[in-house]
Amino acid sequence: MQTVLILLGPPGAGKGTQAARLAGALSSPHVSTGDLFRENLGRGTELGQKARQFMESGRLVPDALVIDMLFDRVAKSDCKAGYLLDGFPRTVAQAEALDARLSGATVRALNLSVADAALIERLTGRWTCKGCAHIHHERFSPPAKAGVCDKCGGSLYQRADDSREVVEKRLSVYREQTRPVEAHYRARGVLADLDGSRTPDQVFSAMLTAAQGGKS
Ligand code: AMP
């Protein structure tokens, strides 16, 4: 049976970092709608052009665009046994579209919570690698050489949407449009709440337990 894991939580809660680790541990593809949009932007596709204005201002890309892009991705053969969603669904309409597609699959939603002040510090200090998308942080995980990725030697940049102003907008969009998605999965009895303010290793082990259906 197909197992789909959904990572929920505000921007900066650690979804991307933990999703990459979980995907490795569970041998399941990591599907990030933010990464898919950034790839489209990088390749200059029509979808990328359409998404750009929303992304740069911290708003959500319209549901229809996100849902089509996501469903194309998860139709690929590597997702047959299941996959891990990072950054989707972000609206109740997206969650409903996913439900309709997934009838019969096992779904688990892992909800990371972190206080706003910590989220702002995490996001505004982030440096992302142009080559491999690995994330350094100027305070918590600075690269050995400024501006250079420790992992692949690629150059590091600050995402346009990690500026203070856009981060605050992303957090308010999260509160208004994405918070209700928690209730959607809670009502279905498939939501696990996790404290995302612990160390990355502690959060990872709690997530792995919850992903496998245990109590964390
Ligand atoms: P992320 O890397 O997940 O923070 O996503 C970066 C940006 O991509 C978001 O601020 C949105 O503009 C857009 N985006 C990513 N996923 C979604 C989604 N599920 N629904 C709408 N917009 C999205």
Side-chain angles (χ1 to χ4, degrees):
M1 201 210 289
Q2 196 182 42
T3 302
V4 175
L5 274 183
I6 298 171
L7 267 53
L8 293 177
K15 296 188 299 296
T17 309
Q18 297 294 353
R21 271 182 88 173
L22 277 175
L26 301 168
S27 303
S28 187
H30 169 196
V31 178
S32 154
T33 43
D35 285 349
L36 291 172
F37 280 128
R38 281 183 288 278
E39 259 167 45
N40 275 277
L41 270 177
R43 285 191 286 123
T45 66
E46 200 184 329
L47 178 62
Q49 297 298 328
K50 286 186 185 156
R52 179 192 298 274
Q53 48 165 325
F54 297 99
M55 296 176 72
E56 288 182 349
S57 60
R59 286 173 299 150
L60 295 184
V61 177
D63 285 335
L65 292 180
V66 189
I67 291 168
D68 280 355
M69 174 183 75
L70 192 264
F71 286 4
D72 274 357
R73 171 63 189 92
V74 300
K76 297 209 166 120
S77 59
D78 63 331
C79 290
K80 227 176 178 170
Y83 48 92
L84 211 152
L85 285 175
D86 160 16
F88 185 98
R90 264 177 155 98
T91 63
V92 172
Q94 291 177 17
E96 285 168 350
L98 186 65
D99 285 350
R101 187 189 168 96
L102 290 183
S103 59
T106 301
V107 173
R108 289 203 182 95
L110 311 183
N111 185 34
L112 286 176
S113 57
V114 175
D116 274 10
L119 293 173
I120 291 170
E121 186 180 23
R122 286 183 182 187
L123 290 168
T124 56
R126 278 201 321 197
W127 288 83
T128 305
C129 177
K130 273 191 185 144
C132 70
H134 181 71
I135 293 173
H136 283 279
H137 190 281
E138 58 195 25
R139 203 174 133 209
F140 307 128
S141 53
K145 191 166 166 225
V148 180
C149 177
D150 281 356
K151 256 194 157 170
C152 77
S155 55
L156 300 176
Y157 75 107
Q158 275 201 299
R159 277 171 46 177
D161 59 350
D162 281 343
S163 69
R164 173 87 194 208
E165 192 192 345
V166 180
V167 162
E168 286 184 356
K169 176 70 186 164
R170 288 163 70 198
L171 291 175
S172 82
V173 165
Y174 170 77
R175 280 190 289 271
E176 281 159 30
Q177 293 178 266
T178 308
R179 261 276 157 74
V181 175
E182 288 174 23
H184 178 90
Y185 290 109
R186 202 183 305 284
R188 282 160 182 68
V190 298
L191 186 86
D193 284 299
L194 300 159
D195 174 4
S197 65
R198 293 171 290 175
T199 66
D201 284 348
Q202 287 170 328
V203 175
F204 174 69
S205 94
M207 289 182 88
L208 191 57
T209 306
Q212 291 166 331
K215 283 247 170 267
S216 47

